[in-house]
Amino acid sequence: PDSDPFDGENGDPNSANKWSSRDPGLDLTILNSLSKDWTEAFYQAVSDWDNPPPPEVDVLRLTTSTTPYESECSPVRDKMKVCNGRYGDTNWRGINEVLIRRGYILSSVAKMNDSYLSDSSIYQRQYTMCHEIGHGFGLPHTDEDFYNKDLGNCMDYTSNPKNNLRPSTMNFEFLANMYGVDINPELSVDGGLDDGTRHRNRYNQEETGEDENRRRKVRIWNYGDSTTDSDVSPEEEDIPEWNEYKSLVRTSSTSHLDDFLEQVLHKDSVPPYARRTRKWRTLHKREEGQAHELDLGNGYTYRVSVLH
């Protein structure tokens, strides 16, 4: 039999890092801090993640907020932020960086590197966007071999991005297990999902795209400058681990990945006694991507996933 397609980092949905949620499923705001040439790819990816294929198990309840363009991509507590910029020779096309505390995601940042992607195909851009947003939910890869048969979802490593542009049922089943949603809901008499699990129309009717079979809608909230670090309380600003996370997000945009991984271990802000024990935990490392975690102390972990 085939091996587990999720055999990689955090391959068990019960132990995967996830956002805190009081109800089954996940309510999350994704901040659009991208330049206008990424607008279509962003809303297509958000719509794809928010509109699963039948039977439409309602796992993700996503909203978006448009903020001013920001290449630095400063993290915001309790939100995912998506940005782009010409970050140079970083050795990654896309990157996702999350701050985790005791297994729960506190913030996520996804960045698209135009130094590699500006001249790429629309398929590579869409695949990268979908892939990095997926990591922001806590998802692992479904497969880490670029050269085997494609699985038809954007969390599968591929050398043919046209085949893996969107999430698939496999991804939504994993998310359902992560976020406590019944993946075998009781069907009503007419064959649809019952009222408790039916995919709900949660949006103001602003359309952002469509496929061959159904309209896709996503709510767009425009907050202007409101969704910035002002969302973080003064108490959080004083937490060293939060400030280090922000520093790591800045540094990853200005360094080659290999240099970044080395610099973090020896940076001046780390006390000398801590530098001796400060180590990356490599979750996976392949020709076309890798992921690492760093213990920041006091239950905080920084995790970085890159797509070369």
Side-chain angles (χ1 to χ4, degrees):
D2 293 336
S3 59
D4 184 351
F6 287 101
D7 186 16
E9 81 276 18
N10 287 346
D12 179 0
N14 295 314
S15 62
N17 300 313
K18 60 185 178 182
W19 298 82
S20 178
S21 181
R22 286 177 295 180
D23 300 318
L26 172 63
D27 295 275
L28 184 66
T29 297
I30 304 180
L31 306 181
N32 171 14
S33 300
L34 297 150
S35 58
K36 291 183 179 180
D37 55 312
W38 278 98
T39 298
E40 183 176 353
F42 171 77
Y43 286 115
Q44 182 65 61
V46 173
S47 180
D48 288 338
W49 280 112
D50 200 48
N51 291 274
E56 297 189 354
V57 177
D58 198 9
V59 183
L60 302 176
R61 297 178 290 274
L62 305 177
T63 55
T64 66
S65 169
T66 299
T67 69
Y69 170 71
E70 181 194 348
S71 62
E72 185 177 278
C73 221
S74 183
V76 176
R77 179 66 186 264
D78 296 326
K79 294 179 176 65
M80 185 193 307
K81 181 182 278 189
V82 184
C83 309
N84 70 291
R86 286 192 172 273
Y87 301 115
D89 183 21
T90 58
N91 196 30
W92 50 261
R93 284 191 301 247
I95 188 171
N96 186 280
E97 300 165 270
V98 296
L99 180 65
I100 302 160
R101 187 163 193 257
R102 299 193 174 100
Y104 287 96
I105 298 173
L106 303 180
S107 180
S108 173
V109 162
K111 293 179 285 192
M112 314 295 130
N113 190 347
D114 287 328
S115 297
Y116 301 109
L117 290 169
S118 62
D119 295 326
S120 295
S121 70
I122 59 172
Y123 306 115
Q124 183 65 65
R125 289 163 64 90
Q126 190 65 54
Y127 168 76
T128 304
M129 178 67 72
C130 181
H131 186 96
E132 300 307 339
I133 289 177
H135 278 315
F137 301 133
L139 278 172
H141 299 125
T142 49
D143 181 78
E144 292 172 354
D145 186 339
F146 263 70
Y147 305 106
N148 61 358
K149 182 179 179 181
D150 291 325
L151 297 177
N153 70 76
C154 65
M155 301 311 295
D156 170 30
Y157 275 172
T158 181
S159 58
N160 299 294
K162 186 177 180 179
N163 297 334
N164 285 3
L165 294 178
R166 296 182 172 125
S168 72
T169 300
M170 181 183 295
N171 305 125
F172 288 105
E173 288 179 350
F174 196 98
L175 286 167
N177 282 310
M178 282 177 63
Y179 290 103
V181 174
D182 184 4
I183 60 175
N184 294 300
E186 180 180 355
L187 295 180
S188 63
V189 174
D190 64 2
L193 298 178
D194 63 20
D195 291 339
T197 54
R198 188 182 303 276
H199 184 65
R200 298 184 295 278
N201 181 6
R202 299 179 299 278
Y203 304 111
N204 298 329
Q205 304 300 305
E206 181 161 355
E207 299 171 2
T208 61
E210 63 181 79
D211 63 12
E212 296 177 357
N213 300 312
R214 65 182 186 277
R215 309 293 290 183
R216 295 170 177 266
K217 304 177 190 294
V218 62
R219 185 190 303 174
I220 301 175
W221 293 351
N222 292 291
Y223 291 153
D225 289 312
S226 64
T227 49
T228 65
D229 276 340
S230 61
D231 285 23
V232 180
S233 69
E235 293 78 11
E236 288 172 319
E237 285 288 356
D238 292 334
I239 296 175
E241 294 79 15
W242 173 257
N243 288 321
E244 181 166 12
Y245 172 54
K246 293 197 298 181
S247 175
L248 290 166
V249 169
R250 286 194 300 269
T251 306
S252 69
S253 300
T254 59
S255 306
H256 188 281
L257 179 64
D258 294 340
D259 295 334
F260 168 71
L261 295 175
E262 183 65 24
Q263 290 169 9
V264 169
L265 300 181
H266 304 288
K267 60 189 300 185
D268 293 339
S269 60
V270 179
Y273 67 85
R275 296 177 199 171
R276 293 192 294 270
T277 58
R278 193 175 174 95
K279 294 182 180 179
W280 287 102
R281 175 175 172 250
T282 298
L283 304 174
H284 86 270
K285 190 173 184 179
R286 301 288 189 274
E287 178 183 354
E288 299 295 340
Q290 51 189 291
H292 308 272
E293 283 186 350
L294 184 67
D295 184 358
L296 302 182
N298 295 320
Y300 289 88
T301 301
Y302 165 77
R303 176 172 176 149
V304 56
S305 302
V306 304
L307 191 64
H308 294 315

